Amino acid sequence: MQKVALITGASSGMGKSTAHILHSQGYTVYGAARRMEEMNDLKEKGIGIVSLDLTNEDSIVKAVDTILKKEGRIDILINNAGYGSYGAVEDVPLEEARRQFEVNLFGMARLTQLVLPSMRQHSYGRIVNISSMGGKIYTPMGAWYHATKHAVEGWSDCLRLEVKSFGIDVVIVEPGGIKTPWGIIAADNLEKTSGKGAYVDFANKAAQVIRKTYSGDQLTDVEILGKTIAKAATDKKPKTRYVKGYMAKPAIAIRKWFGDRFFDRMIMSQVN
């Protein structure tokens, strides 16, 4: 029996790449996203598509029910959907901060809750949570984004222990800088949120650094991350974490081995 995979955030980037790869490997794949029209290419390849808004309970329940009614199971869940909300802590409205958590953590958590009974029933499951190198490090003006990714790390570790006895693996992928519009969007939002007022100089410099990074050619191609995520989803004995992408391994290592003060100076040197 073909294993069934559900991938969120499949309308673009890493999610879409992973959907194509798993489909080519013979898995029954469903891509989920708010922008259904952006998944028409998946549909043309025979990949199922479902509408999903991670901030809406009814949408989450309907997406899972649709797949379970048709396939009878969901074996692999790849929680890829998310976005980066940037701005000074003092400037970011708490409504936006809550939305950042709704998309990056609570929506993912609710989806996982709904998929777990099927996995337990079949004594098999693989949950791949897409965190970030931002779940291990930090950058100025990204407090709410980093908070969600640090939360994803701890949440995933606890979940891994809880479901292990049911034959379910929980794996974390920590991407670095990837060739997607993510950084440009984050820079635009940063300028919109903190481009005036007390943090204007700091915010504009940080936005310039982000734009420069995401306009360069050093970023990792999205297809490489797609392969990494597919590997995390299908390895017979998966690692707990997969780290891949521009600056991910060195940045995480520098903070771990040299400490926070050194990391602070390194990061601040980029925006001063």
Side-chain angles (χ1 to χ4, degrees):
M1 181 178 293
Q2 288 182 325
K3 287 186 170 57
V4 180
L6 168 59
I7 306 170
T8 69
S11 60
S12 64
M14 298 183 297
K16 176 169 285 191
S17 174
T18 306
H20 281 297
I21 292 169
L22 289 182
H23 176 68
S24 71
Q25 293 176 350
Y27 290 84
T28 299
V29 179
Y30 284 82
R34 289 183 298 113
R35 297 175 298 169
M36 292 281 284
E37 69 280 1
E38 297 294 328
M39 296 189 290
N40 285 335
D41 59 322
L42 299 181
K43 187 176 181 180
E44 290 171 1
K45 290 288 184 67
I47 297 171
I49 62 172
V50 292
S51 176
L52 176 64
D53 180 350
L54 288 173
T55 67
N56 184 290
E57 167 75 8
D58 291 340
S59 176
I60 298 172
V61 172
K62 184 177 179 180
V64 173
D65 284 349
T66 297
I67 299 171
L68 289 179
K69 286 179 181 178
K70 186 171 182 179
E71 306 294 344
R73 60 194 297 154
I74 296 174
D75 302 289
I76 299 169
L77 171 61
I78 300 177
N79 286 309
N80 169 71
Y83 75 104
S85 181
Y86 270 64
V89 169
E90 189 174 345
D91 294 334
V92 176
L94 287 183
E95 180 181 0
E96 167 58 21
R98 292 187 181 99
R99 183 175 185 275
Q100 178 81 144
F101 269 90
E102 284 292 339
V103 174
N104 288 8
L105 180 66
F106 294 123
M108 174 187 77
R110 182 59 179 138
L111 188 63
T112 302
Q113 286 180 329
L114 294 171
V115 169
L116 277 171
S118 170
M119 292 182 172
R120 287 191 293 101
Q121 179 184 350
H122 294 95
S123 300
Y124 176 86
R126 181 70 54 84
I127 299 169
V128 181
N129 293 331
I130 310 304
S131 177
S132 166
M133 67 177 177
K136 291 288 186 64
I137 64 168
Y138 49 89
T139 55
M141 302 288 163
W144 293 111
Y145 170 72
H146 286 286
T148 64
K149 292 304 184 180
H150 277 71
V152 167
E153 297 273 341
W155 185 84
S156 300
D157 286 333
C158 294
L159 180 65
R160 184 177 65 253
L161 301 180
E162 293 176 15
V163 300
K164 182 178 177 60
S165 64
F166 298 105
I168 302 170
D169 291 306
V170 179
V171 182
I172 302 167
V173 177
E174 298 169 340
I178 312 300
K179 292 179 183 177
T180 70
W182 184 95
I184 303 301
I185 295 171
D188 289 344
N189 288 337
L190 171 54
E191 289 180 335
K192 181 179 179 181
T193 302
S194 295
K196 297 178 181 178
Y199 300 91
V200 59
D201 291 339
F202 197 175
N204 286 337
K205 288 179 181 177
Q208 289 173 9
V209 171
I210 295 172
R211 277 204 185 88
K212 183 179 179 180
T213 300
Y214 278 83
S215 299
D217 57 4
Q218 71 270 44
L219 298 179
T220 301
D221 191 89
V222 71
E223 297 300 324
I224 293 177
L225 263 296
K227 292 177 181 177
T228 299
I229 296 169
K231 180 177 175 62
T234 59
D235 275 353
K236 290 185 177 180
K237 293 184 178 180
K239 297 188 291 186
T240 301
R241 283 169 169 80
Y242 293 76
V243 183
K244 195 74 173 181
Y246 176 67
M247 283 301 295
K249 288 182 179 179
I252 292 172
I254 287 170
R255 189 199 174 183
K256 179 179 179 180
W257 296 110
F258 291 89
D260 294 340
R261 294 299 184 187
F262 182 90
F263 192 82
D264 286 356
R265 291 193 296 271
M266 185 186 76
I267 291 295
M268 292 301 289
S269 70
Q270 303 298 312
V271 294
N272 287 330

